[in-house]
Amino acid sequence: MNAVFLAIVLIALAAAGWRQLLWQGPPAGQADAALASPMEQLSAGMVASATGAVELAIGLVGVMALFLGLMKVAEQGGMLVIIAKLIRPLMVRLFPQVPANHPAMGAMILNMSANALGLGNAATPFGIRAMQALDALNPRPGTATNAMAMFLAINTSGITLLPAKVIAIRASAGSMDPAGILPTTLFATITSTVAAVAAVLLLQRYFPVGQSTAQELALPRPWVEPFMAPDGAASPNAEAGEGGEAYPLWVSVTALACLVLAVPATIWWGRTISPWIVPLMMAGFLLFGWWRGVRVYEAFVEGAKDGFDVALRILPYLVAILVAVGMLRSSGALDVIVGALAMFTAPLGLPAEALPMALLRPLSGSGAYGVMSAILTDPAIGPDSYVGYLVSTIMGSSETTFYVLAVYFGAVQVRRIRHTLIAALIADVVAVIASVAICRYLFAT
């Protein structure tokens, strides 16, 4: 992100500087602001972008507090555990190397459930715990196992049922239909997840784990000790049961079938049902929490405090990226780049305005949020345009791949990641293609 940020600023400065050298000054007797020198326009654009970033963050505080408050009610009501029980039969087939009652299974399920509900950072502790438990089953320390590769590929492409943060940003940007990305996000994430699973299964045979060496086996791994039996073997029962016992198979199959059927339903009737989603979601989550014995008011307030903190934490990132993008736009460099790329990408349904989002998303989550915010708040684009829906869908249906791999593999000192990165990037590309396809079908005019 450092290189991206610096490159944008230098390109904008170079473009404005070149135009300044060629500038002949305003016509005699005219001093219109639109006729200011290129460097003056650049300076004004920087100040305006910084001010707009602060205004956007302030507007985001309330919306973020609302959605994270609802998420806290759902979390305390045990919605994660319910989802965990529903998908356990599928998990034991995706991870045949992991015993069904091993703690890694429960941690992976909770991580995926948290990601599906858009809980963001709440999923990270479950993911790190899953990697540590999986490492207890690792025959070659320092090398990713097939289960680790599958888990992280799914993690970076996991199905998102509720992209709460993206909906919040769309609402703060003035969208008339902030939840309209739910059907497009669901379609794109299901498609990318299928691609991730297929890529892992295909590639793992070409990237064997190999034989461990005495030096590798001697590596200190204190994080696996809670998951080991007294004889040093991996204990399948250690701290098991995060997801509880699974529901009967027919219940899980029915739930997965309903999820699959929801895709065409949301595509066909998405515009009709989307205005109902946010009000019904608030009422439904509160009723669910009340039914489960949660003190919904206190839980909501606790989550809302987290939303306030999140909105403030992203303010510096918004200022940085929006100022950089504003410089790029004010300097005229963005117009040149868009014009050069549009002839190739526009016929494919990926406008050049959306390209930075597609390229930056795997690298930097905060940077991608900043680019999306800049696009959604641009008066020439807006959140309810085709480009607005497209960048929102890409944001909601993909993950910060390099960050996830660095954090999760770093937690267990894995340096040889085998085919994990390739599979994750394939999923990212498929997510962009699927986003373009579904947004063109629903929103292109």
Side-chain angles (χ1 to χ4, degrees), residues 220-234:
R221 294 187 295 162
W223 53 83
V224 305
E225 293 177 1
F227 310 106
M228 304 298 289
D231 61 357

Side-chain angles (χ1 to χ4, degrees), residues 91-271:
M91 292 289 289
V92 297
R93 288 163 176 79
L94 286 174
F95 300 91
Q97 308 91 349
V98 182
N101 61 341
H102 194 273
M105 191 67 75
M108 287 191 294
I109 290 173
L110 292 179
N111 170 266
M112 295 176 188
S113 302
N115 279 327
L117 292 176
L119 296 181
N121 292 335
T124 303
F126 296 131
I128 293 176
R129 178 178 174 80
M131 290 295 288
Q132 292 172 340
L134 287 173
D135 203 36
L137 302 171
N138 191 353
R140 188 178 183 185
T143 298
T145 63
N146 290 341
M148 288 179 177
M150 178 68 77
F151 171 58
L152 290 187
I154 294 176
N155 194 282
T156 58
S157 65
I159 295 174
T160 304
L161 302 178
L162 184 61
K165 290 183 180 180
V166 180
I167 293 175
I169 292 176
R170 288 178 53 80
S172 67
S175 172
M176 300 299 294
D177 186 18
I181 63 165
L182 286 178
T184 58
T185 299
L186 184 59
F187 175 84
T189 54
I190 290 178
T191 304
S192 65
T193 301
V194 171
V197 171
V200 170
L201 294 176
L202 177 64
L203 294 171
Q204 66 186 16
R205 68 186 66 177
Y206 302 108
F207 294 85
V209 174
Q211 295 294 324
S212 58
T213 65
Q215 183 179 6
E216 290 171 338
L217 293 175
L219 290 174
R221 294 187 295 162
W223 53 83
V224 305
E225 293 177 1
F227 310 106
M228 304 298 289
D231 61 357
S235 174
N237 297 314
E239 302 182 25
E242 286 91 337
E245 294 297 326
Y247 291 124
L249 181 60
W250 69 268
V251 176
S252 298
V253 171
T254 302
L256 292 174
C258 291
L259 178 61
V260 172
L261 292 175
V263 177
T266 53
I267 291 174
W268 285 106
W269 298 297
R271 287 183 177 273

